[in-house]
Amino acid sequence: MTSARQDSPVPERSSDTTASPGGTFGRTILFDVVLPVGLYYILRAAGLSELVSLLLSGAPPALHTVQTMVRHRKVDTIGLFVLTVVVAAAVGSMISGDPRLALARSGWITGLAALWMLATLTFKRPFTYRALEALVPGRAQLLDRLWCTTPLFRRVWRGLTWLWGLGLIVDAVLRVVFAYTLPVDTVPALDGALYGVTYVVLQLITQIVLARTGTLRMIFGEAGQDEPDRAHDAGSDA
């Protein structure tokens, strides 16, 4: 399964996006979780081997990645990374005849993605902040001003990047452990369930942090333009 592409940690109150985050998340769940898991068990019920079923069940997320790049006419480096790992795992599994290598691919994808996410902490602005920018483009100037003037705002998004990076590393380790220790036919269902558990837990913590630190008010508060000044004072006092 290639359900490792976790959706971005974001505030859920947004009317400024040009594309629906809910729609994007729904398509991710469908192609990266529901279809691969369902297809695997359908193929197994039809009498196909574990290895063949796993290789074929990797088709929906791979095709979805290709279709997305074609539709947007843009080469997605993350999408290419996912495709590369899927193909490499498929080739390795066919050579070795071991279905567990194919089972573990989502763990490796998730783990490498988590390491990249943590690496963005060395960038000018980390992953979670960039994800927020993409989801609320209508507030780009406000976000930039908050980032430049508000220490608390910067700490929140750096902290959330740590949260999601480390959380996904735990997720990745569990996927690899499942792949190599549990019965093969049990793992796809657990892999899909883990996707939901990881996302819900990390998103819940994210929303609590955003609410308790006043970050949601900074971004969506009715005070609008006055909020950065108050947030700056709060950050300086923190």
Side-chain angles (χ1 to χ4, degrees):
M1 321 314 294
T2 55
S3 59
R5 292 190 300 169
Q6 307 287 341
D7 273 50
S8 303
V10 298
E12 296 177 345
R13 297 167 50 196
S14 172
S15 58
D16 295 305
T17 55
T18 55
S20 168
T24 300
F25 180 62
R27 287 191 295 274
T28 299
I29 290 294
L30 176 63
F31 285 98
D32 289 6
V33 182
V34 177
L35 289 180
V37 172
L39 183 58
Y40 174 81
Y41 289 110
I42 289 174
L43 294 173
R44 288 291 288 143
L48 274 69
S49 68
E50 295 170 342
L51 180 56
V52 172
S53 298
L54 284 169
L55 294 178
L56 292 178
S57 69
L63 292 175
H64 180 227
T65 298
V66 173
Q67 186 266 340
T68 299
M69 287 191 287
V70 171
R71 185 176 73 245
H72 294 292
R73 297 180 182 179
K74 179 181 179 182
V75 176
D76 180 358
T77 53
I78 295 178
L80 286 177
F81 164 72
V82 171
L83 286 175
T84 300
V85 174
V86 170
V87 172
V91 172
S93 296
M94 287 188 290
I95 293 175
S96 66
D98 184 5
R100 295 189 181 277
L101 184 58
L103 275 179
R105 66 192 172 200
S106 63
W108 297 119
I109 292 173
T110 301
L112 291 172
L115 292 176
W116 172 83
M117 188 179 294
L118 292 174
T120 68
L121 288 163
T122 65
F123 298 175
K124 183 177 180 181
R125 301 186 184 188
F127 169 80
T128 52
Y129 175 85
R130 293 303 186 188
L132 173 68
E133 278 187 321
L135 285 161
V136 288
R139 297 177 185 265
Q141 291 185 346
L142 172 62
L143 296 180
D144 184 66
R145 187 162 62 251
L146 284 167
W147 181 268
C148 293
T149 64
T150 312
L152 175 61
F153 189 79
R154 294 194 295 270
R155 287 199 299 271
V156 165
W157 294 106
R158 288 193 175 111
L160 289 176
T161 300
W162 276 109
L163 170 70
W164 281 78
L166 295 176
L168 292 184
I169 287 176
V170 173
D171 177 282
V173 170
L174 288 175
R175 291 179 192 278
V176 174
V177 170
F178 290 167
Y180 285 100
T181 62
L182 298 178
V184 172
D185 282 336
T186 303
V187 177
L190 286 177
D191 199 65
L194 183 59
Y195 182 99
V197 171
T198 299
Y199 179 80
V200 169
V201 170
L202 293 179
Q203 188 65 269
L204 179 61
I205 296 173
T206 296
Q207 296 303 319
I208 291 173
V209 170
L210 293 176
R212 290 190 174 180
T213 58
T215 304
L216 289 177
R217 291 194 302 275
M218 296 181 207
I219 302 170
F220 301 108
E222 294 180 358
Q225 301 302 317
D226 296 332
E227 199 68 46
D229 293 333
R230 294 202 301 272
H232 178 263
D233 294 337
S236 300
D237 294 337

